């Protein structure tokens, strides 16, 4: 039983876990532990994990920094992947701890909190208790339960009513460790009525060791709120990322989540959206560019619980060499959720005989006055378009690059930060050409 070593670890070190965290997080550990004992890690016996056996990921010896031993790293030196012309306030998580020595580029609006989850739980206890681990349901999700057992800090954004954060925020996750390491981090975003915020999350690996990362992100969008949550993964091939994103939306709210995987080892992204208020709008996008033995699995479950809501899902994969892509998308339209508009699309470009793509779109509709659709295509480069470009003097290799970059464009278009869009196009171009970003001490870039 793979889970037993983690059950023993939790029991043996429970006092130290609590001592290096705060009461707000500690209060949830017992219930999460019971849930984990019941469910364990997901295995390929589950239909939703048929092609991604999460339990095998944890079948290894890992260290956990439960005593909060300081990690020697200057994040400003370790991370130099700045996006030109992107004016952001930058924050760091070192493994799963908030970096408290950061210097930011400008003040935040009155009442806004951006920073450590530990500190937020002590300075805003009522708000923390209202939202932390509430929509991130761990009762039937062993990875979320495991994360809730061991998480000791994280990152939080709280935007009070009628406040707009004009400047995008940027969170850099730095992975650093001298031994194979398990990292369990949390992100909480609360946007109250008519509030707005944009967050870009970047992953960055510094050291050449194995990292098993669990991440739970909870997004709460109150009435008329707007939240943009973008993730850019550029991890080393030794990183296994298990990511869970939860969102709950009130009336007339607008949430966009887009995850772009440029470089990774093994990634599983779970998206769980609930549209609870009328006229709520959700956009979920994903792009994975994989080669070698890289693996990306996106699972999206979106529930329309009330009438007149709109959702759009778009996931694209470009698979090369021996890589594997998995997509499972499920849209649930509850009884009474009339006038729902829901669209789901999955397009895959497979350029190698050894690459594999598994896709399973699903619609489950219990209302009769809705417009819902899903589409799925998997194929190779358009030979007619390739011939057309070559006929106009463009070399075959360059023509292939142009077509592959063009294939990704509509996922990039979901991003509502113009300068970030431009930079993503550059990064995608480099990725297809086998080039990587220059990131200072980054292991990926060496």
């Amino acid at each position: 039983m793979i889970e037993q070593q983690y059950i023993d670890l939790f029991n043996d070190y429970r006092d130290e876990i609590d001592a290096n965290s705060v009461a707000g997080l500690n209060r949830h550990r017992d219930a999460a532990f019971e849930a984990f004992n019941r469910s364990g890690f997901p295995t390929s016996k589950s239909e939703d994990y048929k092609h991604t056996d999460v339990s095998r990921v944890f079948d290894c010896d890992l260290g956990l920094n439960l005593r909060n031993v300081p990690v020697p790293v200057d994040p400003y030196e370790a991370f130099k992947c700045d996006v030109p012309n992107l004016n952001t306030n930058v924050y760091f998580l070192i493994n799963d701890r908030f970096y408290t020595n950061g210097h930011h580029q400008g003040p935040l609006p009155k009442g806004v909190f951006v920073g450590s989850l530990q500190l937020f739980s002590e300075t805003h206890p009522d708000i923390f208790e209202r939202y932390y681990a509430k929509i991130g349901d761990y009762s039937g999700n062993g990875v979320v339960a495991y994360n809730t057992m061991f998480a000791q800090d994280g990152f939080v954004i709280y935007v009070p009513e009628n406040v707009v954060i004009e400047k995008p925020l940027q969170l850099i996750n730095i992975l650093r460790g001298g031994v194979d390491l398990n990292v369990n981090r949390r992100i909480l975003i609360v946007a109250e009525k008519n509030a707005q915020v944009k967050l870009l999350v970047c992953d960055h690996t510094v050291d050449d060791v194995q990292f098993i990362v669990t991440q739970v992100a909870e997004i709460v969008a109150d009435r008329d709120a707007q939240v943009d949550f973008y993730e850019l993964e550029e991890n080393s091939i030794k990183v296994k990322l298990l990511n869970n994103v939860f969102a709950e939306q009130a009336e007339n709210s607008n949430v966009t989540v887009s995850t772009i995987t440029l470089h990774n080892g093994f990634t599983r992204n779970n998206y769980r959206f609930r549209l609870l208020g009328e006229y709520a709008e959700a956009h979920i996008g994903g792009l994975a560019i994989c080669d070698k033995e890289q693996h990306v699995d996106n699972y999206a479950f979106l529930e329309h619980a009330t009438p007149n809501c709109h959702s759009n899902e778009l996931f694209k994969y470009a698979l090369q060499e021996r890589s594997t892509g998995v997509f499972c998308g499920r849209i649930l339209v509850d009884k009474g959720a009339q006038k729902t508009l829901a669209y789901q699309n999955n397009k895959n470009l497979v350029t190698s005989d050894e690459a594999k793509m598994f896709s399973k779109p699903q619609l489950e509709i219990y209302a009769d006055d809705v417009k819902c659709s899903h589409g799925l295509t998997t194929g190779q480069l358009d030979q007619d378009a390739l011939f057309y470009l070559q006929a106009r003097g463009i070399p075959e290799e360059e023509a292939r690059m142009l077509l592959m970059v063009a294939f990704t464009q509509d996922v990039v278009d979901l991003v509502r930060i113009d300068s970030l869009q431009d930079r993503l196009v550059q990064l995608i171009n480099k990725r297809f050409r086998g080039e990587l970003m220059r990131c200072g001490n980054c292991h990926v870039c060496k």
Side-chain angles (χ1 to χ4, degrees), residues 221-224 248-254 274 276-281:
D222 205 342
R223 194 179 69 194
D224 298 311
E248 283 195 356
Q249 297 183 231
E251 180 182 354
N252 205 38
S253 61
N254 188 310
R274 299 187 73 208
L276 303 177
E278 282 196 75
Y279 301 101
E281 187 170 331

Side-chain angles (χ1 to χ4, degrees), residues 55-195:
S55 66
R56 306 306 302 176
V57 171
F58 287 89
D59 190 10
C60 55
D61 294 326
L62 298 167
L64 286 91
N65 188 11
L66 301 178
R67 294 171 178 163
N68 193 24
V69 176
V71 178
V73 61
D74 180 349
Y76 294 96
E77 290 295 323
F79 183 81
K80 296 180 179 178
C81 295
D82 57 325
V83 179
N85 304 319
L86 180 63
N87 187 16
T88 62
N89 273 331
V90 178
Y91 303 85
F92 294 95
L93 284 177
I94 309 301
N95 296 329
D96 42 24
R97 303 280 178 162
F98 183 75
Y99 182 71
T100 57
N101 297 322
H103 43 82
H104 310 303
Q105 298 173 1
L108 295 168
K110 184 179 179 181
V112 169
F113 182 98
V114 180
S116 162
L117 198 58
Q118 283 193 10
L119 180 60
F120 184 73
S121 74
E122 294 175 334
T123 58
H124 300 69
D126 293 341
I127 301 171
F128 175 88
E129 193 58 33
R130 194 182 310 153
Y131 295 113
Y132 176 77
K134 291 299 187 294
I135 64 173
D137 181 19
Y138 49 74
S139 59
N141 186 325
V143 174
V144 178
Y146 177 86
N147 176 285
T148 309
M149 288 163 52
F150 286 105
Q152 294 172 287
D153 195 8
F155 179 73
V156 60
I157 301 173
Y158 167 67
V159 190
E161 189 173 332
N162 296 320
V163 172
V164 175
I165 302 180
E166 298 287 352
K167 182 186 292 187
L169 308 177
Q170 189 172 9
L171 174 66
I172 314 299
N173 295 314
I174 301 285
L175 291 177
R176 177 148 208 189
V179 298
D180 294 347
L181 197 64
N182 176 210
V183 170
N184 301 292
R185 64 188 181 219
R186 303 286 297 214
I187 297 174
L188 174 63
I189 302 174
V190 178
E192 292 189 339
K193 294 176 184 175
N194 202 34

